[in-house]
Amino acid sequence: MQFEGVGLPFLESLASGVPVIVTGWGGQMDFLTSKNSFLIPYRLQNPLTSMSSRHSISRKIGYLFAQKGQLWAEPELPSLKKIMRVAYENPGLCKQKGLQGRRDVLALPWDRARVKMKRVIETVIRFKN
């Protein structure tokens, strides 16, 4: 599960030739594909539904996600298990996805991303002041 909005851990994995198993929804979908990653099907639902579960590690911060209309992608657990099994039993497929991921990441325009991120950070700083 991703807990930051840029997807940097995914980029780092792909840059190292390591494919990721990830929910197929969110900002990371700008660079993750079924050719370079294992994408988990999901259901969009209110975060409080998941956070209220007895298995949740985040029940104490659920109030942060209580805004009306807020949704997040909840991975389909049976699909996750199946995908993990496929990855485990097919190291050649993992290598293939990893190599594709590395090629994809190396082709990204890093300078443009750096400039955009700098603008976003500067905007947030101006907004807070």
Side-chain angles (χ1 to χ4, degrees):
M1 217 181 294
Q2 178 184 347
F3 291 105
E4 51 85 22
V6 178
L8 192 56
F10 303 140
L11 285 169
E12 291 168 339
S13 290
L14 294 183
S16 299
V18 178
V20 295
I21 299 175
V22 62
T23 305
W25 186 80
Q28 70 269 13
M29 297 310 298
D30 286 348
F31 55 88
L32 296 181
T33 69
S34 60
K35 291 183 180 181
N36 65 23
S37 305
F38 294 94
L39 303 177
I40 309 164
Y42 60 89
R43 290 179 319 278
L44 288 179
Q45 63 184 36
N46 184 300
L48 288 177
T49 303
S50 299
M51 294 182 141
S52 299
S53 162
R54 66 183 176 92
H55 302 291
S56 175
I57 60 171
S58 54
R59 282 182 281 187
K60 292 182 180 179
I61 61 168
Y63 68 93
L64 295 172
F65 300 91
Q67 291 82 16
K68 184 178 179 182
Q70 191 169 11
L71 298 173
W72 73 6
E74 184 71 28
E76 294 179 0
L77 201 50
S79 296
L80 171 59
K81 291 176 181 179
K82 181 179 175 184
I83 289 169
M84 290 175 75
R85 175 62 58 188
V86 167
Y88 176 76
E89 292 177 348
N90 296 280
L93 177 60
C94 291
K95 184 172 183 165
Q96 177 185 345
K97 286 181 181 279
L99 290 172
Q100 182 62 51
R102 182 158 171 75
R103 285 192 294 267
D104 294 348
V105 168
L106 291 175
L108 291 175
W110 290 100
D111 283 341
R112 191 173 75 205
R114 177 188 53 78
V115 168
K116 285 185 176 184
M117 181 60 82
K118 183 176 182 268
R119 283 189 200 136
V120 167
I121 292 169
E122 288 171 343
T123 300
V124 169
I125 290 170
R126 277 194 305 275
F127 180 75
K128 288 205 168 230
N129 292 333

